[in-house]
Amino acid sequence: MRIERLRSSLLGGAVALALGGSLIMTATPAAAADLAPKTTTSSSAITGMWAWGNPIDPAVDARGEGDPEFAPKALAAFASAHKLKTVYLSVPWAADEGPFSSWLKAAITALHKAGVKTVAALGGDPAWADQPDLAATWTRSALAAAPFDAIQFDVEPWVGAEESELPGIADKLGALYDAATAVAGPVPVGADLPWWLAAKQSPAGGTLFDALLPHLDSVAIVAFVDHARGDDGILALAGPAARAASAAAVPFSVGVETDTPEVAGGPSATFGDDSASLLESETAIVRSTFSKLPGYGGVTVEHLLSWQKLIAQ
């Protein structure tokens, strides 16, 4: 299922981040001038996407969503047209039971033929942070259902949490990732993490973002903003996390949003009320800066259906 994502409210040169009305965090992002872009290329900076949904008829299986856009041929055609290299494909609980395995296997095959290098099983539930064995069980069934190239977690237990709870939450996430890694074997485990974790100090030293990197094989840095430059832009917000991931030799991408402002948490948090051309031009600026960092893997778009709607406008 799709997990509701963290939404941010951006105010001037500082960022006030409200989590469920409980946690307020203020951070001064790195100066955008320090990340000034120097080069651009004509090809798209977007290399991946989150794909929340499936084509399974809900009359056949209650987990089905009946989205034709997720049929293997449709997925492959879109990925090929946009030269995607990574697709995070949502996987339900107990995917090795019922009709999902056949679809997932066909989708992975089609996406690989379309040039996608990494098809990751995407899933997450906030409850998994307290019960890492559930994350391990989901991982085991996902890999039994289809030959995924990777596992990708979108677990957001900080929504509604107090700031004092964040170190404990980070510890729980580390345990979750380790539990999944133990059953995934050689299959790499990655996660979506918000940029602001790199502005939160860990009691053990460094930041909470730093503390989670040793538990992961890759990270998607979530920086849902509709502009690259400025003190409240993608470059400034995601910069510390990007540099930390690069320094730790953990491959990373930068995530942007294309859903509606109502879902995203406001017009400044998404390209959904802008245009596909603005999405391309702003992410090109992101690439021209972060591509200088070892481990940079491109920009990842949230999510398939809303991105398609934006393109169709």
Side-chain angles (χ1 to χ4, degrees), residues 113-172:
K113 289 181 178 179
V116 175
K117 293 182 178 179
T118 302
V119 183
L122 171 64
D125 187 311
W128 293 2
D130 291 315
Q131 296 177 280
D133 58 309
L134 295 180
T137 298
W138 172 83
T139 299
R140 186 180 293 107
S141 67
L143 294 176
F148 284 99
D149 304 302
I151 298 293
Q152 186 75 10
F153 284 105
D154 179 36
V155 180
E156 304 173 22
W158 40 72
V159 177
E162 298 292 339
E163 185 165 352
S164 61
E165 299 176 279
L166 288 179
I169 288 174
D171 289 341
K172 291 179 180 180

Side-chain angles (χ1 to χ4, degrees), residues 230-255:
D231 288 343
D232 60 354
I234 298 168
L235 299 180
L237 299 185
R243 291 190 289 272
S246 181
V250 176
F252 70 95
S253 66
V254 177

